[in-house]
Amino acid sequence: MLGAYAAAVVAPKVLFNLFVYGDLLEGERQHELIEGCARIATGVTTASGYTLVEVGPLAAIIASGPDCRVLGDVYAVDYDVLARCDVERGHPHRFHRDTITLDAESLTEDTLSGDGGDALRNGAAVYSYLMHANQVRGKRRFRGIGDWRQRLDA
């Protein structure tokens, strides 16, 4: 009897907030990895202390000085999507997934959508893929607010 009950109970799907800023952005070459996931924030920035770096055809974030931020979107992804992104990013060797801080002032009615947006405003954890500074020595760094879509304009 308990087995039938247990089979009928479906655990809620756990979702992770993933900040994307480079080739995972909509319209970029690897967006298909997160295609179909809910975008819960668009055009938001990290808090100061993160720099966008161009590493060949890829973008990377590094922890850096206080004058830089990175522009991107936040998606709600399930474990399977997160695992695929981990593999594609070479986590934890090439990129490492870590929690980041978003700029609270960028979390507005215009940039947030749905319940996920409310969770972001209330301090929910946000993950992203970063590199260490020693991995990007000599690579182009974006000053101010790093926007991957503007990389060809600079």
Side-chain angles (χ1 to χ4, degrees), residues 19 38-46 71-75 102-118 120-121:
F19 178 80
R39 183 170 46 194
I40 59 174
T42 185
V44 296
T45 59
T46 63
L71 182 70
D73 298 337
V74 179
Y75 285 82
L102 296 177
D103 178 12
E105 291 182 14
S106 73
L107 303 175
T108 68
E109 293 291 323
D110 293 333
T111 62
L112 301 176
S113 61
D115 295 336
D118 291 337
L120 291 178
R121 196 178 285 129

Side-chain angles (χ1 to χ4, degrees), residues 28 35-36 46-47 54 56 63 78 85 104 107:
E28 296 290 337
E35 192 85 49
T46 63
E54 186 173 5
D78 65 23
C85 290
L107 303 175

Side-chain angles (χ1 to χ4, degrees), residues 21-23 25 28 52 54 57-59 146-151:
Y21 55 86
D23 63 353
L25 288 167
E28 296 290 337
L52 182 66
E54 186 173 5
L58 299 175
D147 180 354
W148 184 245
R149 290 188 171 121
Q150 301 300 316
R151 68 191 178 278

Side-chain angles (χ1 to χ4, degrees), residues 8 10 25 28 31 35 37 49 53 60-61 69 83 89 99 101 110 115 119 121 136 147:
V10 177
L25 288 167
E28 296 290 337
H31 181 72
E35 192 85 49
C37 296
V53 181
I61 289 178
R69 293 181 289 160
R89 294 290 178 252
T99 56
T101 305
D110 293 333
D115 295 336
R121 196 178 285 129
V136 298
D147 180 354

Side-chain angles (χ1 to χ4, degrees), residues 132-151:
H132 297 288
N134 65 343
Q135 293 175 279
V136 298
R137 266 194 204 107
K139 303 297 183 189
R140 177 177 167 217
R141 297 173 187 226
F142 293 71
R143 299 292 176 210
I145 298 177
D147 180 354
W148 184 245
R149 290 188 171 121
Q150 301 300 316
R151 68 191 178 278

Side-chain angles (χ1 to χ4, degrees), residues 19 21 49-51 59-64 89 91-100 126-133 135-136:
F19 178 80
Y21 55 86
Y50 300 96
T51 298
I61 289 178
I62 59 169
S64 64
R89 294 290 178 252
H91 170 68
H93 304 292
R94 185 173 53 155
F95 285 85
H96 62 281
R97 179 172 30 88
D98 205 349
T99 56
I100 64 164
V126 178
Y127 295 90
S128 196
Y129 292 97
L130 291 83
M131 283 187 164
H132 297 288
Q135 293 175 279
V136 298

